[in-house]
Amino acid sequence: MEQRRAVHVVTGASGGVGRSIAEALLRTGAGVVVVDIRSAGWLDEVADGAVVVGDAGDAAVLSAAIERAREFGELTGWVNNAAVFRDAWLHEAGSEVVLDIVDAILRPTVAGAAAAIGEFVRTGVAGSVVNVSSHQAQRAVRGALSYSVGKAALEGLTRALAVDYGPRGIRTNAVALGST
């Protein structure tokens, strides 16, 4: 039976940590599809990569990323790196603004996990979802309430996905970064 090439989707990878993750995956010989609200111009010259420009929390954008991944081979990994960081004091910004920021942090991860797991279940692939968290999920930083709450929720989501989909061979992990 012919083994298809491993392909990974990395969200929030036009630069920074996401770009480093995508470049590391490319060095392994995998195909990479980047999803970002900005173009990842650095990937234009890479034969094994593609860019889908759009919101990583939008199901249609993620569907397009899966279609691009299928062009390279078989989706085996998904890295949910896309997030926002914006300070908001609860007493000044109010609950709606704080919740909007939490949503902007959590939505791309939930949507990405749903897209990846849906494809893994459809194809029978024992794939992997990696959610990029932060040390702030465990140790809040003054003035970053929304970020701490969003990343703590992301870690709870990661544990729940592991419990729900681990028996199907789908691995779900979180990587909590320090300050970058």
Side-chain angles (χ1 to χ4, degrees), residues 3-150:
Q3 184 172 342
R4 296 187 66 213
R5 180 175 194 205
V7 181
H8 305 275
V9 172
V10 182
T11 68
S14 66
V17 170
R19 177 178 175 169
S20 294
I21 292 167
E23 288 175 337
L25 289 167
L26 284 165
R27 284 192 299 274
T28 71
V32 173
V33 177
V34 165
V35 178
D36 203 295
I37 58 173
R38 294 177 306 272
S39 176
W42 64 270
L43 195 53
D44 291 342
E45 303 301 316
V46 178
D48 300 326
V51 179
V52 176
V53 177
D55 184 341
D58 182 335
V61 170
L62 300 180
S63 180
I66 288 173
E67 288 300 320
R68 292 304 307 268
R70 289 176 184 154
E71 294 171 14
F72 290 114
E74 185 170 63
L75 183 68
T76 60
W78 191 288
V79 179
N80 287 308
N81 178 65
V84 300
F85 184 89
R86 195 173 93 203
D87 290 346
W89 290 93
L90 182 60
H91 72 281
E92 292 173 354
S95 62
E96 290 302 315
V97 169
V98 167
L99 289 170
D100 285 346
I101 297 169
V102 170
D103 181 70
I105 294 165
L106 194 55
R107 181 174 300 278
T109 302
V110 173
I117 290 170
E119 181 71 355
F120 298 152
V121 169
R122 186 188 75 74
T123 60
V125 169
S128 177
V129 175
V130 176
N131 297 325
V132 176
S133 185
S134 167
H135 66 97
Q136 290 188 41
Q138 301 297 318
R139 293 177 303 280
V141 173
R142 186 172 168 82
L145 180 140
S146 303
Y147 193 74
S148 294
V149 170

